[in-house]
Amino acid sequence: MPEWRMAEPVDFEMNDGEHIAIVGPNGAGKTMLVDILTMKHPLLQNDVEYNFSPKTSKLASDNIKYIEFRDTYGGDNDRTYYLQQRWNQTEIDESTPTAGKLLENAFLTSGEDTEERRTFQRHLYDIFKLDYLLDKYIILLSSGELRKFMLCRSLMGDPRVLIMDNPFIGLDKETRQQLREVLETVSKERALQIILVLAKDEDIPKFITHVVPVRGKKVYPKETLSDYRLKMKDYRLKTEDEKNLLSINSHLSSILSLPYRNDDYNADEVVKMNNVKIQYGDRVILKDLGWTVHNGERWALSGQNGAGKSTLLSLVCADNPQSYACDITLFDQKRGSGESIWDIKKHIGYVSPEMHRSYNRDMPAIRIVASGLKDSIGLYVKPSPGDYEVCRMWMRFFGIEDLAERTFLKLSSGEQRMVLLARAFVKDPELLILDEPLHGLDAERGEMVKEIIDAFCQRKNKTLIMVTHYKENLPRCITHELYLKRHA
């Protein structure tokens, strides 16, 4: 069966007043189903039928707003984006748009400028607590702030149907709850029906009325949320899950038996920061930060959206030019003492929302993994047969060896994340920096990744810094925690 087709004809019906969760594992066909519903996927037989009443427009483009996975990283089809772009904004052109300006443009282009719509606009700003970032340049928004921005912009158009791909990932606990409440509130206040595309059953909010399971490129019959939850209790106990756990354990023993790649490595202070301050214009991101990470420690980094977590990691990864003005030591060597960016990066394996967004080239997945050997986005040096062998080994650990020759942009968002995780591990780095590594992963794959991280960190000279807004996503190996507070 071609990868771009469902396994069998699709039956799907959404009635007035329903809110639906489309759920299933990574690569199951959830995004393909949404593409069918939004007429982005070509159909061989019957067309999709719509009834958007009480809206007057009959056009799907006017009534359906779809926020895709890459959109909620701020992608917006911006092919000029590059990984370090966010950190290289020391002198921002005044013509660069702010979040407030773009939201205002969205407001003016999506309807008449009436007092009723202005009241709704202020209502959205209040619920999402957007006032503090309206004057912030769009390029400086964190991944979580970008998600709030994209959601608010889509709701501004007052759609009849709003479809969102994994809307809760990247949001802190408070904002996730705010989003659940705003979606429920807006759906009651306006003629809005919501479809959520989710990889994990626990992300289904209470206002959802029905669930449509998708597995193996098959769309299963719609059922009520209560009926679905009852069935899932039994489904989790099936022996198939036990077999998967045995497979994971086999992978872990293979990882633990790997030799350490550089016995000469002996850095004690992997990261040391003294009174670090990062500022863009009048906006302070990090202030008087002191932090030391010793060899072998495993840190959980957390904080509100916009608190500076990704900015902090950009200093460690040598992606932020402001690091030269700060008192920072990496791998026992003070920044600015003659080391190159590549001297630093050779010790680091890294994955982040920014990295996911920056991969726009549709090359085979194994080439993406191999780019981790050279610390490049894309790959400009042809890998050797030995390089490919190492890449396939790590892809096998992550259960994605069968994706090796599939091109990156044809994969589901969860499959893409697994490829980028294999890329982070492929050179057996001394420091793993994992910024929301489980974004978009289904429960089974999320548990697999946590087990792999635990096993990897049991080995000599392995240090971990991991960012997540979900406590349950942290592996067991965590030894230290750092919480960042957002500056006003």
Side-chain angles (χ1 to χ4, degrees):
M1 180 188 69
E3 296 293 342
W4 51 268
R5 288 179 56 183
M6 299 298 274
E8 57 185 32
V10 173
D11 290 320
F12 180 95
E13 183 178 59
M14 185 178 193
N15 298 314
D16 189 30
E18 293 180 347
H19 303 294
I20 291 176
I22 298 174
V23 300
N26 300 135
K30 303 187 297 295
T31 300
M32 196 178 300
L33 172 58
V34 173
D35 286 345
I36 292 172
L37 299 180
T38 56
M39 297 188 69
K40 289 176 61 177
H41 190 81
L43 299 180
L44 298 178
Q45 298 178 8
N46 301 328
D47 289 333
V48 180
E49 296 181 5
Y50 303 108
N51 179 359
F52 297 119
S53 60
K55 300 287 186 180
T56 55
S57 173
K58 297 181 180 180
L59 296 176
S61 57
D62 289 340
N63 288 282
I64 301 177
K65 298 298 180 185
Y66 176 28
I67 305 178
E68 300 181 60
F69 185 85
R70 296 184 74 86
D71 289 338
T72 47
Y73 281 151
D76 228 12
N77 299 316
D78 181 6
R79 297 288 176 170
T80 65
Y81 180 84
Y82 60 93
L83 180 58
Q84 292 85 4
Q85 185 177 10
R86 182 174 163 196
W87 322 120
N88 284 271
Q89 302 296 314
T90 52
E91 296 182 4
I92 300 177
D93 188 329
E94 291 184 359
S95 65
T96 302
T98 62
K101 181 178 180 180
L102 291 175
L103 287 173
E104 179 65 14
N105 289 343
F107 173 85
L108 294 174
T109 57
S110 60
E112 296 182 12
D113 189 354
T114 63
E115 182 57 35
E116 180 186 2
R117 291 192 68 239
R118 285 293 179 186
T119 300
F120 180 54
Q121 180 190 37
R122 290 191 293 271
H123 183 47
L124 290 176
Y125 288 179
D126 288 342
I127 293 176
F128 279 109
K129 293 182 170 56
L130 291 179
D131 287 339
Y132 82 93
L133 59 77
L134 292 178
D135 65 340
K136 198 171 181 180
Y137 290 114
I138 191 69
I139 190 64
L140 296 181
L141 298 185
S142 71
S143 59
E145 290 170 333
L146 279 168
R147 287 173 181 276
K148 292 199 289 185
F149 166 82
M150 293 296 299
L151 288 165
C152 186
R153 189 168 75 169
S154 294
L155 289 171
M156 205 96 71
D158 198 18
R160 183 68 176 88
V161 178
L162 179 62
I163 306 175
M164 290 177 286
D165 189 348
N166 284 302
F168 302 111
I169 59 177
L171 301 179
D172 57 50
K173 185 177 181 180
E174 178 185 2
T175 306
R176 291 199 301 272
Q177 185 56 35
Q178 290 171 5
L179 177 56
R180 293 186 188 99
E181 292 172 358
V182 72
L183 292 177
E184 184 170 10
T185 299
V186 173
S187 67
K188 290 178 179 178
E189 293 176 348
R190 314 185 83 78
L192 173 69
Q193 290 180 245
I194 295 169
I195 299 176
L196 302 183
V197 183
L198 303 170
K200 296 193 293 186
D201 296 324
E202 51 265 38
D203 284 338
I204 302 176
K206 294 179 180 178
F207 70 83
I208 291 295
T209 61
H210 293 77
V211 175
V212 174
V214 181
R215 293 188 292 273
K217 297 290 195 301
K218 295 181 180 181
V219 177
Y220 288 82
K222 179 176 67 178
E223 50 195 301
T224 65
L225 177 59
S226 57
D227 285 348
Y228 178 77
R229 290 199 187 282
L230 286 174
K231 287 174 63 175
M232 285 310 300
K233 289 181 181 179
D234 295 332
Y235 178 76
R236 290 194 185 98
L237 297 177
K238 288 186 177 180
T239 56
E240 181 181 349
D241 293 337
E242 296 175 4
K243 293 178 182 177
N244 288 327
L245 288 174
L246 289 174
S247 175
I248 293 173
N249 289 333
S250 173
H251 289 166
L252 299 189
S253 62
S254 299
I255 293 171
L256 291 173
S257 66
L258 289 175
Y260 180 63
R261 72 181 181 97
N262 186 356
D263 287 325
D264 295 330
Y265 175 84
N266 58 2
D268 175 40
E269 293 178 336
V270 176
V271 178
K272 185 173 183 179
M273 298 184 179
N274 294 313
N275 297 318
V276 166
K277 181 179 181 179
I278 297 295
Q279 184 170 348
Y280 295 98
D282 296 330
R283 191 178 292 273
V284 175
I285 308 300
L286 298 173
K287 183 179 180 182
D288 301 329
L289 176 67
W291 186 38
T292 301
V293 177
H294 291 283
N295 189 348
E297 293 179 346
R298 283 89 67 184
W299 283 79
L301 177 60
S302 60
Q304 294 172 294
N305 294 130
K309 300 182 296 297
S310 295
T311 299
L312 176 58
L313 297 184
S314 74
L315 298 174
V316 180
C317 293
D319 289 327
N320 195 318
Q322 293 197 47
S323 63
Y324 290 103
C326 299
D327 185 359
I328 299 175
T329 298
L330 300 175
F331 306 103
D332 285 341
Q333 189 165 4
K334 188 173 178 60
R335 285 292 276 133
S337 61
E339 84 291 353
S340 72
I341 290 177
W342 309 112
D343 290 332
I344 295 169
K345 287 183 177 295
K346 70 182 181 181
H347 298 295
I348 299 173
Y350 177 54
V351 69
S352 71
E354 285 79 17
M355 173 171 287
H356 199 151
R357 178 185 172 189
S358 64
Y359 268 100
N360 285 319
R361 297 182 63 189
D362 200 21
M363 62 174 61
I366 194 167
R367 294 289 296 270
I368 300 291
V369 176
S371 71
L373 295 168
K374 309 297 181 183
D375 301 303
S376 64
I377 301 295
L379 190 62
Y380 308 103
V381 179
K382 185 176 181 179
S384 68
D387 290 338
Y388 277 131
E389 184 178 346
V390 171
C391 292
R392 290 187 187 280
M393 178 190 72
W394 280 103
M395 294 184 80
R396 186 163 60 251
F397 287 160
F398 282 95
I400 54 171
E401 189 178 16
D402 61 321
L403 303 180
E405 303 307 323
R406 296 258 312 271
T407 57
F408 188 71
L409 299 183
K410 302 297 191 301
L411 302 177
S412 73
S413 57
E415 290 170 332
Q416 289 177 352
R417 180 50 58 100
M418 295 295 283
V419 170
L420 292 177
L421 280 164
R423 179 194 183 277
F425 282 76
V426 71
K427 64 180 172 186
D428 197 20
E430 288 82 19
L431 173 60
L432 265 180
I433 298 180
L434 307 178
D435 188 351
E436 295 287 5
L438 307 191
H439 267 189
L441 298 186
D442 58 50
E444 182 181 321
R445 278 186 163 158
E447 288 302 315
M448 172 185 283
V449 171
K450 283 170 31 179
E451 294 292 331
I452 291 174
I453 295 170
D454 275 326
F456 185 87
C457 289
Q458 289 182 42
R459 297 169 60 225
K460 177 185 175 183
N461 290 331
K462 299 303 181 188
T463 304
L464 171 70
I465 300 173
M466 179 168 167
V467 176
T468 183
H469 290 295
Y470 292 82
K471 287 285 187 183
E472 61 270 24
N473 282 353
L474 290 171
R476 295 186 300 271
C477 65
I478 294 297
T479 58
H480 297 73
E481 294 188 23
L482 176 65
Y483 182 87
L484 297 181
K485 293 184 178 180
R486 186 175 60 222
H487 295 280

